Amino acid sequence: MSEKSTQTHPWGPGVASGVGSMPGGDAREAVKTVTGSLEALPYLPELPARGPGADMIGRTAGMLVELYAHVEPSGWRISDRPGRDTRRARSWLGEDLDALEEFTQGYQGALKVSAVGPWTLAASLELRGGEAALGDPGACRDLTASLAEGVRAHLAEVRRRVPGAEVVLQLDEPSLTPVLRGSVRTASGYRTHAAVDRGVVEGALRALVEAADGPVVVHSCAPAVPFGLLRRAGVTGISFDLSLLTESEEEAIGEAVEGGTALLIGAVPGTDTPLSDPAGSVGGVRTLWRRLGLSPGALAESVVITPSCGLAGASPGYARAALAHCVRAARWLADNPE
């Protein structure tokens, strides 16, 4: 395989980042850890341990425009008006942004923020009857439009608070493959929602890319990431767990890299475990690159090293160590591409 083009990414070569969540409930401590560990591609952490509204679905539900949600025993459900759950989600996001602003004074460079993508949101948010919005095409369209407006406002707020940043939007889409395969279960658990047409899925993702008006990364720590579909939707990068990759996906990965798509590769475990040396952590990345027949010189330009998924389930000490390890591993890969 030969490279045809190299897209300019808002971060440099040999860079590491995180995925999203961090342990604990202290926004200042989490942001301080992230910004102190990651000089080139820090991110706004999520702290789901605080409870509903700080989880990824609740945080994104709080961003929606003219759509609201509240917590039921079964999960988040769309509401007629904003209630305490919406207010709590927005309050926590405000705290997170205050901490981000505090610890990024004078920062210049790429900065990543997250929201749940339209399809995972549709699979997770219930309509008033208790079924997922995914089963109603009109509800999916409304949700995508509301999310696009909410994301646009959120990104504008981050740019206002951190004026030197080039903000990168990460859309979390762990349910994307089940949506495409028709394997998302209905409320009863006895049936599944019909597979959504790939063109419709791609169109909704493209609407979010356009709303972001800047670089967009799609993250999924689920198996069988649809690399080709995401590339066609216009994303800047694709974030995935290296341990879940299969040989059948390699051709699509190679095509994505040749087209200029960045790979954010989850190569470091996301929960407490003894960490190998940096070379051992990214050996699989280099092996993949060789199998694809890609130029070693393009490796550090195209790849960002991350934990395999969010760090919410890790101890605070391990979360700090994992981010630092990602940084060392990325540098090692840049210095030793062959």
Side-chain angles (χ1 to χ4, degrees), residues 100-195:
L100 183 71
E101 185 175 2
E102 178 183 351
F103 287 103
T104 53
Q105 293 294 312
Y107 177 73
Q108 302 276 334
L111 172 67
K112 186 158 66 71
V113 301
S114 302
V116 175
W119 297 107
T120 296
L121 202 59
S124 303
L125 278 184
E126 299 173 356
L127 300 176
R128 290 171 184 83
E131 283 293 353
L134 182 64
D136 183 331
C140 289
R141 287 191 294 272
D142 291 346
L143 201 52
T144 298
S146 174
L147 178 60
E149 285 302 309
V151 159
R152 192 178 284 120
H154 178 53
L155 295 177
E157 177 68 4
V158 175
R159 288 167 182 144
R160 184 186 68 77
R161 288 173 178 256
V162 193
E166 180 164 5
V167 184
V168 178
L169 172 66
Q170 176 179 298
L171 294 173
D172 292 316
E173 281 283 19
S175 297
L176 185 56
T177 298
V179 165
L180 290 165
R181 290 180 169 176
S183 59
V184 176
R185 296 214 163 266
T186 58
S188 70
Y190 295 118
R191 296 185 301 108
T192 57
H193 291 281

